[in-house]
Structures are given as C-alpha cells and as structure tokens.
Amino acid sequence: ERILQRLAIPPVAWDIIAESWQRHDPSLYGRIDLAYDGQGPAKLLEYNADTPTALFEAAYFQWGWLEDAIAQHALPDTADQFNSIQEALVATLSKISAESGCKSLYLTCLPESVEDSGLIAYLADCAVQAGFATTNIAIGDIGSSGAGPFVDMSGAPIAMLFKLYPWEWMITDDFIRSPSMRHTRFVEPAWKAILSNKGILPLLWALAPGHPNLLPSYFEDDPARTALAGRYARKPLYSREGSNITLHDGDRVLDEAGGPYAVNDYVWQALASMPSYAGNTPVIGSWIVGGIPCGIGIREDTSPITKNTSRFIPHAIIG
C-alpha cells in the first residue's frame, strides 16, 4: 500500500491490481526505451508497459523495408534484423488463449485515433492467427449488465478485452467501480498499472543502486535528488510520448515538451548520454513480448525528447 500511494494510484484500484497479480493474469507486450551511445551498457529511460505504440512499425513495416532493401540490392543478402516480434505476438496470444480457455478476444481503443485504430487492427490479425475469434469495439460502446463481465452493444459478454486505453485513465473512469471489472480479463492486466508508472524509475534505483543499466532516479520530494547535481530529466508519474518532460542543466532548461500531464507528481532522472547523428537523437525501443525481448525499433528526433511526432527508423544488422 505504501508503494501504491507513492505511485499516486487511487485506493479504489488497489484490490483490482492485487487480484490480477495473484491470478497471474498474463501480459502480452511492452516496450523498454533505452539510451545507447555505443559506449558501455544501455541505460533505461522508461518502460512503456501499458499501451505502447510503434508496434506495427517495428513488427511489420521495418521487416518489409529490410526485404525490399535486400531485393533492391541496397543491402547485402546476408543482412538481418533483430525482429521476431510478430511471431512472438502470435505465439503469446495463442498461449493466452490456451491457458485461459478463452477463444474470443475483443479489442478496443478510442476510434478517433488513426494510430490506435491501426494498431488494434494489426493485433486483431495476430490474434486471429493465434486462434482467437476477434471483435473490434469502440471503448464507448462497452457496457455492463451490473453482474458478470462487460458486454458489447448486443449484450454479448466480453470475457477477454485487449484495451489500447491506459490504466491510469480507467482508474479515474466509472469503469473501475463496475462489478464487471472482476469478471472481464484484461490485456494488459491491471498489475501493469504499476510498471507503466514513471515512479518505477526511483523504485528500481532504490532496489539496485548503481546498476549498470539504470540511471540515478528519485521522487521529486526526496532530498537525495541533489545527487543529480542539477542535470536531470523531470518526468510526470503519468505521461506518454514525451509529454510534460523537461531536461535541466542547472538553471538552464535544455529542452521541454508540453502536454496534458502537468498536474502530476514528478520524478527526477539523471540525464543520459545520448548520441547525435546529423542533429538527430535516436532512442532504442526494445520490445518485450510474453516476457521475452524479441526485437527493437528505433525512433529519432531533432529534440532529445522522443515524442509521438518522432520518426521511426528501421534497422539492419550487417556483418
């Protein structure tokens, strides 16, 4: 409870989170963002554990780019790519179906988002390959009968729901107080609300100070943050796609991004050593599917803060 309070997770969600963990509700995927400048170990910037995007680009489009580049002799025939994301998605979805006994999967998002709708369509295709019968549904069309699982517009029960809708939003919605929360199974599960919170950065640092893959991180009200010597990234506990992040060097703001998450508790994280290529800063997104790393995607920007407008860059391994 102390940690849940520290992460600003409302008490109304605590039991739902705990129960999902105790049931071992399975996770499908997540994206770990890494800073790597070619010198020493990569550094964890953050873990996008719930509703990470750029999956379609990483799993499908960059593999097509590799095949096209080889066919056009822009790359050698031996060129490869760290990318078995789609295969891992299908295998993990198949395992989730087998272990849960559920053969039907609903997928939801805010339909006005073209990016989210595209990702939902892609995951639905992967789920069909895994043996699911799928239904895409707008999140506003999900209802409850007051008992049992959530239902669709026809009253059919939704036993399992993939939601491209963050847990921190659901926690503040009427959704969270519905009895149906304990009957419908969610992908991603409620325990991902902890891992998708930027507060895990100082918690990890406290658990493993000096770990070679971690950057020193502290909650904003922790006096120990002075150890960062004024060079830090200030990040809201709840934010997405770089929103409301500021980079500081003493009294100087190196970069900042606006957004809707300003009313938040914050963490401070030591600035990472970021490479720059022709004025562009790349960030490596390491995709974790079914708990196993299975591919990377790279995004770059003229800003050191990666945003939803940053470019996706395919990669190739040549040797």
Side-chain angles (χ1 to χ4, degrees):
E1 291 179 356
R2 176 182 58 82
I3 290 175
L4 292 170
Q5 286 177 327
R6 199 66 165 117
L7 299 178
I9 296 175
V12 67
W14 290 0
D15 285 346
I16 292 169
I17 290 170
E19 290 164 10
S20 75
W21 178 257
Q22 291 158 0
R23 282 194 307 264
H24 304 287
D25 287 357
S27 165
L28 178 59
Y29 75 119
R31 193 190 74 233
I32 294 176
D33 286 347
L34 302 167
Y36 182 61
D37 63 359
Q39 304 295 320
K43 299 291 186 179
L44 172 67
L45 295 174
E46 58 190 58
Y47 180 24
N48 297 273
D50 183 34
T51 73
T53 53
L55 178 70
F56 199 5
E57 297 91 324
Y60 184 81
F61 285 106
Q62 71 168 341
W63 185 259
W65 167 86
L66 178 71
E67 291 181 326
D68 288 347
I70 292 173
Q72 295 168 15
H73 306 293
L75 290 174
D77 292 345
T78 55
D80 202 356
Q81 193 173 89
F82 178 40
N83 186 4
S84 58
I85 301 170
Q86 180 160 313
E87 293 86 344
L89 288 169
V90 173
T92 302
L93 285 164
S94 179
K95 182 179 179 182
I96 289 173
S97 175
E99 292 182 351
S100 67
C102 186
K103 301 300 180 185
S104 174
L105 178 66
Y106 282 74
L107 301 98
T108 191
C109 68
L110 294 171
E112 58 267 26
S113 170
V114 175
E115 180 183 18
D116 289 2
S117 297
L119 177 52
I120 286 291
Y122 171 65
L123 282 173
D125 182 72
C126 291
V128 168
Q129 295 180 53
F132 274 110
T134 65
T135 303
N136 290 10
I137 185 171
I139 198 158
D141 290 341
I142 296 173
S144 175
S145 64
F150 288 107
V151 296
D152 64 17
M153 294 288 281
S154 68
I158 300 174
M160 182 170 287
L161 177 68
F162 175 90
K163 51 161 204 63
L164 205 63
Y165 189 81
W167 272 107
E168 67 263 26
W169 295 358
M170 286 191 67
I171 285 169
T172 60
D173 285 347
D174 290 339
F175 264 116
I176 202 70
R177 301 183 185 278
S178 170
S180 298
M181 287 296 302
R182 287 182 161 83
H183 296 280
T184 293
R185 292 292 171 261
F186 292 92
V187 183
E188 298 296 321
W191 56 262
K192 279 293 197 77
I194 295 174
L195 297 184
S196 64
N197 188 302
K198 302 294 190 299
I200 68 162
L201 299 172
L203 291 176
L204 286 172
W205 184 251
L207 288 168
H211 190 287
N213 297 116
L214 295 178
L215 293 162
S217 302
Y218 304 93
F219 288 99
E220 188 165 57
D221 61 2
D222 185 348
R225 72 182 189 277
T226 57
L228 301 179
R231 287 184 52 81
Y232 62 93
R234 184 175 185 254
K235 300 180 176 183
L237 291 185
Y238 297 111
S239 74
R240 294 173 182 275
E241 298 177 322
S243 294
N244 298 103
I245 290 175
T246 55
L247 307 183
H248 297 260
D249 184 2
D251 294 333
R252 187 163 61 103
V253 174
L254 301 175
D255 199 5
E256 60 184 331
Y261 302 101
V263 182
N264 239 301
D265 293 333
Y266 283 79
V267 301
W268 290 21
Q269 181 186 52
L271 291 183
S273 176
M274 304 289 290
S276 180
Y277 300 98
N280 294 294
T281 300
V283 167
I284 296 174
S286 176
W287 288 95
I288 312 297
V289 179
I292 298 172
C294 56
I296 63 170
I298 300 170
R299 290 169 299 154
E300 71 171 18
D301 205 298
T302 54
S303 162
I305 300 175
T306 307
K307 311 176 187 70
N308 64 350
T309 54
S310 299
R311 294 174 296 279
F312 185 90
I313 306 298
H315 76 280
I317 301 168
I318 302 172

